[in-house]
CSV table of all heavy atoms in Angstrom, one decimal:
chain,number,residue,atom,x,y,z
A,68,GLY,N,-73.7,46.4,-125.4
A,68,GLY,CA,-72.8,46.6,-124.3
A,68,GLY,C,-73.0,45.7,-123.1
A,68,GLY,O,-72.3,45.8,-122.1
A,107,PHE,N,-69.1,40.2,-90.6
A,107,PHE,CA,-69.1,40.6,-92.1
A,107,PHE,C,-67.7,40.4,-92.6
A,107,PHE,O,-67.5,39.9,-93.7
A,107,PHE,CB,-69.6,42.1,-92.2
A,107,PHE,CG,-69.2,42.7,-93.6
A,107,PHE,CD1,-70.0,42.4,-94.7
A,107,PHE,CD2,-68.1,43.5,-93.7
A,107,PHE,CE1,-69.6,42.9,-95.9
A,107,PHE,CE2,-67.8,44.1,-94.9
A,107,PHE,CZ,-68.6,43.8,-96.0
A,122,ARG,N,-53.6,26.2,-103.8
A,122,ARG,CA,-54.4,25.1,-103.6
A,122,ARG,C,-54.0,24.3,-102.3
A,122,ARG,O,-54.8,23.8,-101.6
A,122,ARG,CB,-54.4,24.1,-104.8
A,122,ARG,CG,-55.4,23.0,-104.7
A,122,ARG,CD,-55.3,22.2,-106.0
A,122,ARG,NE,-55.5,23.0,-107.2
A,122,ARG,CZ,-56.7,23.3,-107.6
A,122,ARG,NH1,-57.8,23.0,-107.0
A,122,ARG,NH2,-56.8,24.1,-108.7
A,127,LEU,N,-56.8,26.4,-95.0
A,127,LEU,CA,-56.5,27.4,-94.0
A,127,LEU,C,-57.5,28.6,-94.2
A,127,LEU,O,-57.4,29.6,-93.5
A,127,LEU,CB,-55.1,27.9,-94.1
A,127,LEU,CG,-54.0,26.9,-93.6
A,127,LEU,CD1,-52.6,27.5,-93.9
A,127,LEU,CD2,-54.1,26.6,-92.1
A,170,GLU,N,-89.7,50.9,-113.0
A,170,GLU,CA,-89.3,51.1,-114.4
A,170,GLU,C,-89.7,50.0,-115.3
A,170,GLU,O,-90.1,50.2,-116.4
A,170,GLU,CB,-87.8,51.4,-114.4
A,170,GLU,CG,-87.3,51.9,-115.8
A,170,GLU,CD,-87.9,53.2,-116.2
A,170,GLU,OE1,-88.3,54.0,-115.4
A,170,GLU,OE2,-88.0,53.4,-117.5
A,181,TYR,N,-85.3,41.0,-106.6
A,181,TYR,CA,-84.7,40.4,-105.4
A,181,TYR,C,-83.3,41.0,-105.2
A,181,TYR,O,-82.7,41.4,-106.2
A,181,TYR,CB,-84.7,38.9,-105.5
A,181,TYR,CG,-86.0,38.3,-105.8
A,181,TYR,CD1,-86.4,38.0,-107.1
A,181,TYR,CD2,-86.9,37.9,-104.7
A,181,TYR,CE1,-87.7,37.5,-107.4
A,181,TYR,CE2,-88.1,37.3,-105.0
A,181,TYR,CZ,-88.5,37.1,-106.3
A,181,TYR,OH,-89.7,36.6,-106.6
A,183,ALA,N,-79.5,39.9,-103.6
A,183,ALA,CA,-78.6,38.9,-103.0
A,183,ALA,C,-77.3,39.6,-102.7
A,183,ALA,O,-76.5,40.0,-103.6
A,183,ALA,CB,-78.4,37.8,-104.0
A,204,THR,N,-90.5,31.9,-113.1
A,204,THR,CA,-90.3,31.0,-114.2
A,204,THR,C,-89.2,31.4,-115.1
A,204,THR,O,-88.8,30.7,-116.0
A,204,THR,CB,-91.6,30.9,-115.0
A,204,THR,OG1,-92.0,32.2,-115.5
A,204,THR,CG2,-92.7,30.4,-114.2
A,227,LEU,N,-74.0,31.7,-106.5
A,227,LEU,CA,-75.4,31.5,-107.1
A,227,LEU,C,-75.4,30.2,-107.8
A,227,LEU,O,-76.4,29.4,-107.7
A,227,LEU,CB,-75.8,32.6,-108.0
A,227,LEU,CG,-77.2,32.6,-108.6
A,227,LEU,CD1,-78.2,32.9,-107.5
A,227,LEU,CD2,-77.3,33.6,-109.7
A,230,ILE,N,-75.6,27.2,-105.5
A,230,ILE,CA,-77.0,27.0,-104.9
A,230,ILE,C,-77.9,26.4,-105.9
A,230,ILE,O,-78.7,25.5,-105.6
A,230,ILE,CB,-77.4,28.4,-104.3
A,230,ILE,CG1,-76.6,28.8,-103.2
A,230,ILE,CG2,-78.9,28.3,-103.9
A,230,ILE,CD1,-76.8,30.2,-102.8
A,300,MET,N,-62.1,48.5,-117.0
A,300,MET,CA,-62.1,49.8,-116.4
A,300,MET,C,-61.5,50.8,-117.3
A,300,MET,O,-62.0,51.9,-117.4
A,300,MET,CB,-61.3,49.6,-115.0
A,300,MET,CG,-61.3,50.9,-114.2
A,300,MET,SD,-63.0,51.5,-113.8
A,300,MET,CE,-63.5,50.3,-112.7
A,308,MET,N,-64.9,59.6,-121.0
A,308,MET,CA,-64.2,60.8,-121.5
A,308,MET,C,-64.6,61.2,-122.9
A,308,MET,O,-64.7,62.4,-123.3
A,308,MET,CB,-62.7,60.6,-121.4
A,308,MET,CG,-62.2,60.6,-119.9
A,308,MET,SD,-62.8,61.9,-118.9
A,308,MET,CE,-62.1,63.4,-119.7
A,320,HIS,N,-57.7,64.1,-117.2
A,320,HIS,CA,-58.2,63.0,-116.3
A,320,HIS,C,-57.1,62.0,-115.9
A,320,HIS,O,-56.1,61.9,-116.6
A,320,HIS,CB,-59.4,62.3,-116.9
A,320,HIS,CG,-59.0,61.3,-118.0
A,320,HIS,ND1,-58.7,61.7,-119.3
A,320,HIS,CD2,-58.9,60.0,-118.0
A,320,HIS,CE1,-58.5,60.7,-120.0
A,320,HIS,NE2,-58.5,59.6,-119.2
A,329,GLY,N,-52.7,44.2,-97.7
A,329,GLY,CA,-51.9,43.0,-97.7
A,329,GLY,C,-50.5,43.3,-98.4
A,329,GLY,O,-50.3,44.4,-99.0
A,347,GLN,N,-48.2,67.7,-105.9
A,347,GLN,CA,-46.8,68.2,-106.1
A,347,GLN,C,-46.6,68.8,-107.5
A,347,GLN,O,-45.8,69.6,-107.7
A,347,GLN,CB,-45.8,67.0,-105.9
A,347,GLN,CG,-45.8,66.5,-104.4
A,347,GLN,CD,-44.9,65.3,-104.3
A,347,GLN,OE1,-44.6,64.6,-105.3
A,347,GLN,NE2,-44.6,64.9,-103.1
A,349,GLY,N,-48.8,70.6,-109.0
A,349,GLY,CA,-49.5,71.9,-109.0
A,349,GLY,C,-50.9,71.8,-109.4
A,349,GLY,O,-51.6,72.9,-109.7
A,351,LYS,N,-54.5,72.2,-108.7
A,351,LYS,CA,-55.2,72.9,-107.6
A,351,LYS,C,-56.7,72.5,-107.4
A,351,LYS,O,-57.3,72.6,-106.3
A,351,LYS,CB,-55.1,74.4,-107.8
A,351,LYS,CG,-53.7,74.9,-107.8
A,351,LYS,CD,-53.0,74.6,-106.5
A,351,LYS,CE,-51.6,75.2,-106.5
A,351,LYS,NZ,-50.9,74.8,-105.2
A,373,MET,N,-63.2,61.2,-96.8
A,373,MET,CA,-62.4,61.6,-95.6
A,373,MET,C,-60.9,61.4,-95.8
A,373,MET,O,-60.2,62.4,-95.8
A,373,MET,CB,-62.9,60.8,-94.4
A,373,MET,CG,-64.4,61.1,-94.0
A,373,MET,SD,-64.9,60.2,-92.6
A,373,MET,CE,-66.7,60.5,-92.6
A,429,SER,N,-57.3,18.1,-105.2
A,429,SER,CA,-56.7,17.8,-103.9
A,429,SER,C,-57.0,16.4,-103.4
A,429,SER,O,-56.2,15.7,-102.9
A,429,SER,CB,-57.2,18.8,-102.8
A,429,SER,OG,-56.8,20.1,-103.2
A,438,VAL,N,-49.2,9.9,-98.0
A,438,VAL,CA,-48.1,10.4,-97.1
A,438,VAL,C,-47.5,11.7,-97.6
A,438,VAL,O,-47.3,12.6,-96.8
A,438,VAL,CB,-47.0,9.3,-97.1
A,438,VAL,CG1,-45.8,9.8,-96.2
A,438,VAL,CG2,-47.5,8.0,-96.5
A,440,TYR,N,-48.9,13.9,-99.5
A,440,TYR,CA,-49.9,14.9,-99.4
A,440,TYR,C,-49.9,15.4,-97.9
A,440,TYR,O,-50.0,16.6,-97.7
A,440,TYR,CB,-51.3,14.4,-99.8
A,440,TYR,CG,-52.4,15.4,-99.7
A,440,TYR,CD1,-52.5,16.4,-100.7
A,440,TYR,CD2,-53.3,15.5,-98.7
A,440,TYR,CE1,-53.5,17.3,-100.7
A,440,TYR,CE2,-54.3,16.4,-98.6
A,440,TYR,CZ,-54.4,17.4,-99.7
A,440,TYR,OH,-55.4,18.3,-99.6
Side-chain angles (χ1 to χ4, degrees):
F107 165 77
R122 190 178 303 278
L127 292 171
E170 186 65 27
Y181 306 90
T204 60
L227 187 69
I230 293 168
M300 182 58 68
M308 291 309 300
H320 74 281
Q347 294 172 345
K351 297 302 181 184
M373 297 179 188
S429 295
V438 175
Y440 183 78

